[in-house]
Amino acid sequence: MQIQRYRLNRASGHIYRVMESPFRLEDVGESLDMIILHATPPVRGEPFPNMPEQDWIGLCFLNAELNWSFTLLNSGKSNALSSFLHYTTEREISSVLTKVTLIPQTSRRGNHWFGYAFEALPLPDVNLPQLLKRHSTLPLIDPTVDLEFPPANWDELLLRLNSQAIATQKMNSLSYDTEDLETRSKFVIWN
């Protein structure tokens, strides 16, 4: 399993995969599918010298190729993190495939930038608890980012994913006997 890093550039509206050797940014478009494993709470900081201090959320996720991946979401001068915070309150983020898209925004003064949009899609057929147990030595927070995120809890993540897997198995095991449905008595209609 490879570790990959992505940059969601809200100025250009493009998402880039960071290629380490030789260093370059590979444009992957304006949206990215991910299975989010861990999201940090927002932390104020300045991890990049060319960007002003702002709020950041660190994401650890599996990309479409199931590679361990990291990215950061930033607030910028707007309240850009609110869409993600709202998205996470409506669902268990590890139980869906999340599509993040950079969407154009315009201020009243005519300034242009891109905001985040999140969409929950059905999770592909992946045994997340088993996959994570095999890779439990990998970090849930990108160690190359200079932000003071609180530590992630592997045990909590595995417990959450195992309980989701059990709930899904129970739902899938529910079946209806179609013979019983067809042998029910019919209603008599009186004219």
Side-chain angles (χ1 to χ4, degrees), residues 130-180:
Q130 183 181 19
L131 183 68
L132 293 180
K133 283 179 187 173
R134 286 198 316 259
H135 300 291
S136 62
T137 58
L138 294 174
L140 291 171
I141 298 174
D142 189 347
T144 66
V145 172
D146 188 23
L147 288 167
E148 296 296 321
F149 291 122
N153 187 335
W154 261 102
D155 294 334
E156 180 183 301
L157 174 63
L158 290 173
L159 180 66
R160 196 175 73 230
L161 291 174
N162 280 325
S163 64
Q164 286 173 14
I166 291 168
T168 302
Q169 287 172 349
K170 285 182 180 177
M171 287 298 292
N172 291 341
S173 69
L174 292 176
S175 63
Y176 299 97
D177 189 347
T178 56
E179 186 176 313
D180 285 347

Side-chain angles (χ1 to χ4, degrees), residues 23-81:
F23 179 81
R24 68 186 189 287
L25 298 177
E26 178 183 88
D27 191 341
V28 296
E30 59 191 35
S31 65
L32 179 65
D33 292 343
M34 58 179 69
I35 302 171
I36 300 173
L37 304 174
H38 179 72
T40 68
V43 168
R44 192 128 185 104
E46 191 178 346
F48 306 110
N50 61 333
M51 295 183 78
E53 183 178 76
Q54 55 194 298
D55 293 327
W56 298 87
I57 292 176
L59 297 182
C60 175
F61 62 95
L62 298 175
N63 67 7
E65 295 82 32
L66 298 179
N67 288 315
W68 206 262
S69 303
F70 297 105
T71 196
L72 292 171
L73 305 177
N74 67 316
S75 63
K77 294 178 183 175
S78 65
N79 194 9
L81 296 179

Side-chain angles (χ1 to χ4, degrees), residues 4-8 15-16 28 30-39 57-73 84 87-88 91-102 116-124 126 128:
Q4 297 192 343
R5 289 175 177 80
Y6 291 83
R7 290 191 185 166
L8 284 67
I15 299 172
Y16 300 96
V28 296
E30 59 191 35
S31 65
L32 179 65
D33 292 343
M34 58 179 69
I35 302 171
I36 300 173
L37 304 174
H38 179 72
I57 292 176
L59 297 182
C60 175
F61 62 95
L62 298 175
N63 67 7
E65 295 82 32
L66 298 179
N67 288 315
W68 206 262
S69 303
F70 297 105
T71 196
L72 292 171
L73 305 177
F84 180 74
Y87 177 77
T88 60
R91 69 198 39 82
E92 169 49 54
I93 57 175
S94 300
S95 66
V96 293
L97 177 70
T98 297
K99 180 181 194 114
V100 60
T101 305
L102 296 174
Y116 303 113
F118 298 91
E119 180 182 2
L121 303 170
L123 193 63
V126 176
L128 282 180

